[in-house]
Amino acid sequence: MKRYLLLILTVLSACSAPERTVGDIAEWKAEWIGAPWEGEQYDVEAVHHTPEFRKTVNLDGPVRQATAYICGLGMFEMSINGERVGKDYYAPNETMYGTRQEGFSYNIKVDDHDFSNYRVMYLAYDVTDMLERGENDIGVTLGEGWYSAYRKKWIHPFGSPRLLCQIELTMKDGSTRTIVSDRSWEVRPGPIVSNNIYKGEVYDARRKYSGGWTVPALRRPPLGRLERQHGLEDRIMEVLDPKSITPLEDGSYEVDFGEYITGRIHLYGINAPEGCEIEVLHPISPEDDKSWTKSLWNGEYKYIADGTRNAEYAPSFNWYSFYKVIVKGWPGKLKARNIKAEAIYTDIRTTGKFSCSNPMLEAINRLYWRTQTDNLHMGTASDCPHREKGAYTGDGQVACVAMMHNFDANYFYRKWLRDMSDCRDKNTGYVPNGAPWHPGCGGGVAWGAAMCIIPWEHYLHYGDISVLEEHYEAMQGQLSFMESWRTPEGIMDMKLPRDAEKPVYYMNLGEWCPAYSFPDDRLVHTYFLWKCARYLSLSAAALGKGEDAARYALLAEDVRRAFHTCFYDPDRRSYGNNDGSNVFALHMGVPDEYKQDVVESLRKEIEGNGGHLNTGIFGTQIFFDVLCDNGLQELAYEAMTKKDQPSYGWWLEQGATTMWEYWDGHASRNHPMFGGGITWMYTRIAGLQPDPAEPGYKHMIVRPTPVGDLSRASYETLTPFGKARVSWKKGRKGSFSLSILVPPGCHASVYMPGKTEAEEYGEGNHSIYTKD
């Protein structure tokens, strides 16, 4: 009995929902309010002073229970009696709030009026202990966030910032009271003179007590349906001390924190005369001025002192990406106690752990972990945390398996998948390149394919059928849209927009950021059509939709045959020219009659590259698995451990602490998309794989692959049933020992190296030993 009680508790803790301490609101009585110096729409030409709202409330007795329900768009920070409410930052989560303001034009032709749904998130806080008998001061500051974001040719706003707040009180005597946002509140331009999610923040401490309070303006509600936030919050997850502080010739300081993080710089002990301006600059990358990623895109912040002794400051409404910062205007000598870096990202639990005898593989794994956390904000995963900050669906799907292996991402993906489904074109089924949609997001077939890929991977890793149930219609819609681009030959060749004389390149991408050259876009399009059809078939089967499963399986096979007919060159025995095409083909399944020819062609390509991979972001995700599954595991290990271009190891040799956008290091140096390839460490090297027939690791498939000079490897993760672990090591004289931990109520099939028959094991710890 105790064992099964432990199982139930483990399941609840392993994939737990975000912490919720108070209930949902029964009825909204509050009104949306905003700054009277702003209009309904956000004026992109104007200077925008950040609004600060207040409400004074007198309570004639003690409080039994008080809950604050609040939504501030684009971001908010709330205080009661000078104390900050909540530990979260950049709230609420980003969603598709509604349709954007008119009058802006972009090359990416997506009409947000055709989206399937719109949502706005509110949060609930237990503020019982923050309220007291007598006078209470409630304050809210609004940041622009994504709701009022603007950058030319990239993103434009939904409207001006606005606030909705309702506090429900139950007094000790049983009476109730409701405090609502309305025109009885007051508002003024606060000390945050300006804030922008790209440009940064300016704070003028002289304005803290400047007065100027006035009556707020009423605002129209956003179009989106108001819902309790169901995504994870962003929090201060780490605090870093400087590794070095170097004075520069111009009197400024370069502060090195030793690791590329996202978050903010917190200044302490500011003793500056009134009007002194202290600036913090956040260079994106260490490359020279020829780089097109400038610190301008990453933002800066400025603090203007009011003469207060021992002041401190940290920006509120923007995350910055940096490993070094430049501090200008600091009065006196900048010391380590004056500056700290706060890493702020989504409060997501790390549940995966990989280790092995080769420190380089562990370092590559760490590169991915840091990069992924750097790109988790406001309920989405971004392509990069500085230049674009966009919730790119293609980047998200290519890294989703790595993320699920490293984090408890159950509720993270529940929220983000709703964003993708919301942004689906209700007429065509098309899911755009970013969700929530940013008008500058480029991409192609592999981006919208996220709508079909992520729900299945989520089910595979967490075993929760409800995600497939919720998104099955959206998955079908996306696949139907993809089918509409099939040619008479049966392959896929997308050319959006349909009514344009010339297709838009950044709406129809195939592969991206290749090691050497691009494969045929049509080949990559067709590969993803096959993959989505296959995943729909598997999803339909899991949902008990037999007819759909059979229909999608036939579609996948028909696409696969068309792929081989159109792209295989029998004279060259290859699908491409050292561009990753053979990797895509082998992953789909090459016909037996020429499979070994294709494997041999792939081997020659890699050896001709000096042992380096030859893929972009989507090919790299499957590159190492394909090699391992086709007898080229030693070549896979060699490619993973290379120290020159193109390779992960070359990044490490350059001092990288995060993954880069391009193999050669130009442009962004904080992109998680190449993290898709490292799942090979967990599923092939350590050898732990889920079984689609019994998902969530209820049935563990264990198939370790000792390669190269590795003498040991291990991987563990937290499944819905508890911790699972695989660990192996080589001994002397050819011995091999394997230990596994099978969660309660689960079982494992173990394939020892060189064996084709599995050994079956039940729950608990097991040790297996072989000797040549």
Side-chain angles (χ1 to χ4, degrees):
M1 181 67 182
K2 289 182 178 179
R3 178 166 62 87
Y4 289 102
L5 178 59
L6 175 62
L7 170 60
I8 294 170
L9 293 174
T10 303
V11 170
L12 291 173
S13 65
C15 295
S16 58
E19 182 181 353
R20 295 288 182 252
T21 57
V22 291
D24 292 329
I25 194 166
E27 179 186 2
W28 281 102
K29 301 175 183 177
E31 295 180 290
W32 287 92
I33 56 176
W37 58 88
E38 302 271 10
E40 278 286 348
Q41 294 198 332
Y42 180 90
D43 184 351
V44 300
E45 303 296 334
V47 175
H48 298 273
H49 293 279
T50 303
E52 188 174 85
F53 299 84
R54 75 176 182 184
K55 173 75 174 179
T56 301
V57 178
N58 282 290
L59 300 177
D60 56 7
V63 176
R64 177 188 299 166
Q65 176 66 46
T67 303
Y69 301 95
I70 181 170
C71 175
L73 298 176
M75 302 176 183
F76 71 86
E77 286 190 355
M78 183 180 187
S79 65
I80 295 180
N81 297 324
E83 182 181 350
R84 194 180 196 279
V85 175
K87 296 179 180 179
D88 44 348
Y89 288 81
Y90 318 136
N93 279 178
E94 182 191 7
T95 53
M96 201 64 208
Y97 310 110
T99 56
R100 285 186 165 85
Q101 293 176 195
E102 303 290 342
F104 300 87
S105 178
Y106 294 86
N107 287 332
I108 311 299
K109 305 296 183 183
V110 173
D111 189 347
D112 58 14
H113 292 82
D114 292 331
F115 287 170
S116 296
N117 195 21
Y118 308 91
R119 302 173 199 259
V120 174
M121 300 287 106
Y122 71 87
L123 289 92
Y125 299 98
D126 185 341
V127 296
T128 307
D129 296 337
M130 303 181 76
L131 294 166
E132 54 195 36
R133 184 195 297 266
E135 190 173 277
N136 293 268
D137 294 320
I138 300 165
V140 180
T141 302
L142 294 185
E144 294 182 357
W146 289 117
Y147 188 79
S148 302
Y150 172 73
R151 195 171 77 198
K152 189 176 181 180
K153 296 190 176 183
W154 184 256
I155 195 166
H156 60 269
F158 295 87
S160 60
R162 57 203 63 205
L163 169 67
L164 183 73
C165 182
Q166 184 162 314
I167 304 175
E168 301 282 0
L169 298 96
T170 301
M171 310 304 289
K172 282 283 181 70
D173 64 6
S175 62
T176 60
R177 183 175 176 183
T178 301
I179 301 164
V180 299
S181 55
D182 55 21
R183 285 174 59 82
S184 70
W185 286 49
E186 296 178 296
V187 63
R188 68 168 186 177
I192 300 178
V193 177
S194 65
N195 73 95
N196 178 278
I197 205 162
Y198 292 109
K199 294 179 180 178
E201 192 167 301
V202 177
Y203 183 92
D204 189 344
R206 298 170 298 180
R207 299 175 61 91
K208 283 190 295 185
Y209 309 108
S210 61
W213 295 98
T214 188
V215 177
L218 294 179
R219 290 281 176 254
R220 290 195 297 266
L223 177 63
R225 183 174 67 246
L226 199 58
E227 296 182 358
R228 176 74 172 271
Q229 180 164 298
H230 47 255
L232 303 177
E233 297 87 3
D234 294 356
R235 296 191 175 184
I236 297 175
M237 301 297 288
E238 306 167 59
V239 178
L240 281 66
D241 293 316
K243 297 292 184 183
S244 66
I245 300 178
T246 305
L248 303 179
E249 291 183 0
D250 64 356
S252 60
Y253 292 89
E254 180 185 82
V255 186
D256 188 340
F257 291 94
E259 195 164 1
Y260 206 159
I261 68 164
T262 56
R264 65 183 187 177
I265 293 295
H266 200 138
L267 298 176
Y268 297 88
I270 303 172
N271 293 307
E274 182 177 350
C276 175
E277 296 186 359
I278 301 171
E279 291 183 87
V280 179
L281 308 181
H282 309 78
I284 286 181
S285 301
E287 60 262 45
D288 61 26
D289 289 339
K290 294 179 182 178
S291 168
W292 63 287
T293 49
K294 305 292 188 181
S295 59
L296 172 66
W297 283 47
N298 196 25
E300 61 183 22
Y301 81 76
K302 180 186 293 185
Y303 175 85
I304 304 173
D306 65 349
T308 300
R309 301 286 296 173
N310 292 317
E312 66 176 87
Y313 178 69
S316 298
F317 299 122
N318 188 17
W319 61 90
Y320 304 83
S321 181
F322 58 91
Y323 77 104
K324 290 182 179 180
V325 298
I326 305 297
V327 180
K328 294 184 174 183
W330 183 265
K333 182 179 181 180
L334 182 66
K335 299 179 180 179
R337 67 172 179 267
N338 299 127
I339 185 167
K340 293 185 184 296
E342 296 172 341
I344 304 177
Y345 51 84
T346 297
D347 186 7
I348 191 169
R349 182 167 43 162
T350 299
T351 52
K353 181 180 179 181
F354 172 80
S355 67
C356 70
S357 58
N358 187 336
M360 177 186 282
L361 296 191
E362 295 182 337
I364 293 170
N365 192 57
R366 169 72 184 184
L367 282 185
Y368 167 71
W369 180 90
R370 171 57 74 190
T371 313
Q372 191 64 77
T373 56
D374 281 354
N375 282 276
L376 298 177
H377 295 98
M378 296 183 73
T380 70
S382 59
D383 65 320
C384 59
H386 37 60
R387 189 183 71 216
E388 294 161 285
K389 298 185 176 182
Y392 278 84
T393 47
D395 303 58
Q397 66 89 354
V398 78
C400 76
V401 181
M403 188 163 166
M404 293 175 196
H405 274 288
N406 280 275
F407 304 97
D408 179 4
N410 184 348
Y411 278 85
F412 173 84
Y413 281 113
R414 284 175 176 272
K415 185 269 177 189
W416 198 16
L417 282 167
R418 285 174 182 156
D419 294 328
M420 296 180 198
S421 182
D422 288 350
C423 292
R424 174 173 48 101
D425 188 303
K426 59 190 176 186
N427 301 309
T428 68
Y430 170 70
V431 173
N433 304 322
W437 171 238
H438 292 189
C441 284
V445 172
W447 280 253
M451 191 70 256
C452 299
I453 293 170
I454 296 177
W456 171 254
E457 294 291 358
H458 186 283
Y459 173 69
L460 191 60
H461 284 266
Y462 300 114
D464 188 346
I465 197 73
S466 67
V467 171
L468 291 181
E469 292 171 338
E470 179 177 355
H471 297 290
Y472 186 70
E473 181 181 345
M475 296 166 73
Q476 287 182 300
Q478 173 62 23
L479 181 60
S480 178
F481 169 80
M482 294 170 73
E483 281 190 89
S484 73
W485 289 99
R486 291 189 77 184
T487 69
E489 296 80 16
I491 62 171
M492 183 179 179
D493 184 16
M494 189 170 81
K495 295 185 182 299
L496 285 170
R498 290 182 189 271
D499 57 352
E501 291 184 9
K502 184 178 180 180
V504 176
Y505 176 70
Y506 285 105
M507 295 186 75
N508 300 288
L509 297 179
E511 181 61 284
W512 190 238
C513 299
Y516 301 109
S517 60
F518 285 97
D520 189 324
D521 286 346
R522 299 173 306 155
L523 181 146
V524 181
H525 292 181
T526 307
Y527 166 82
F528 277 102
L529 175 58
W530 164 82
K531 188 170 187 176
C532 289
R534 180 171 177 267
Y535 278 19
L536 256 294
S537 176
L538 293 168
S539 300
L543 291 167
K545 300 178 183 291
E547 290 185 5
D548 283 1
R551 176 162 56 92
Y552 291 130
L554 287 173
L555 172 61
E557 180 57 25
D558 187 55
V559 171
R560 191 176 74 91
R561 284 195 299 265
F563 179 97
H564 297 310
T565 299
C566 289
F567 298 115
Y568 181 64
D569 183 343
D571 294 331
R572 299 181 63 252
R573 300 178 182 180
S574 178
Y575 289 81
N577 185 22
N578 195 28
D579 52 19
S581 296
N582 289 323
V583 174
F584 289 113
L586 287 165
H587 192 249
M588 293 177 73
V590 171
D592 291 341
E593 57 264 33
Y594 50 87
K595 178 180 178 180
Q596 283 309 120
D597 289 339
V598 177
V599 172
E600 181 63 14
S601 293
L602 178 58
R603 183 187 65 79
K604 289 179 178 178
E605 287 177 349
I606 298 168
E607 290 179 347
N609 298 331
H612 294 88
L613 48 68
N614 61 357
T615 45
I617 61 173
F618 302 116
T620 298
Q621 183 193 20
I622 56 177
F623 175 87
F624 300 97
D625 292 354
V626 164
L627 265 62
C628 265
D629 296 345
N630 288 278
L632 302 177
Q633 58 267 27
E634 295 297 334
L635 207 53
Y637 183 72
E638 181 184 356
M640 181 63 81
T641 54
K642 284 290 183 182
K643 295 184 179 181
D644 55 348
Q645 289 191 48
S647 69
Y648 298 104
W650 185 75
W651 294 344
L652 291 172
E653 291 293 300
Q654 311 314 303
T657 61
T658 48
M659 291 185 166
W660 296 353
E661 183 177 12
Y662 288 88
W663 290 117
D664 64 6
H666 84 276
S668 164
R669 295 193 170 185
N670 199 323
H671 258 69
M673 57 196 188
F674 278 114
I678 69 167
T679 58
W680 165 81
M681 299 182 191
Y682 324 132
T683 64
R684 302 305 195 276
I685 296 299
L688 178 60
Q689 301 176 31
D691 178 1
E694 297 182 71
Y697 297 93
K698 184 170 180 60
H699 179 209
M700 295 166 48
I701 299 174
V702 180
R703 200 187 300 265
T705 307
V707 292
D709 58 359
L710 288 180
S711 60
R712 61 172 178 84
S714 67
Y715 169 70
E716 67 178 49
T717 189
L718 186 61
T719 78
F721 304 97
K723 184 179 291 186
R725 182 175 61 248
V726 174
S727 178
W728 62 258
K729 70 179 177 180
K730 295 178 181 178
R732 291 181 294 179
K733 299 182 180 179
S735 65
F736 182 87
S737 60
L738 173 71
S739 65
I740 62 172
L741 172 61
V742 183
C746 301
H747 62 113
S749 297
V750 177
Y751 297 83
M752 295 296 279
K755 304 293 184 181
T756 57
E757 296 294 326
E759 300 175 31
E760 303 298 327
Y761 295 90
E763 62 184 59
N765 284 289
H766 305 279
S767 296
I768 308 106
Y769 176 84
T770 63
K771 184 176 181 181
D772 288 346

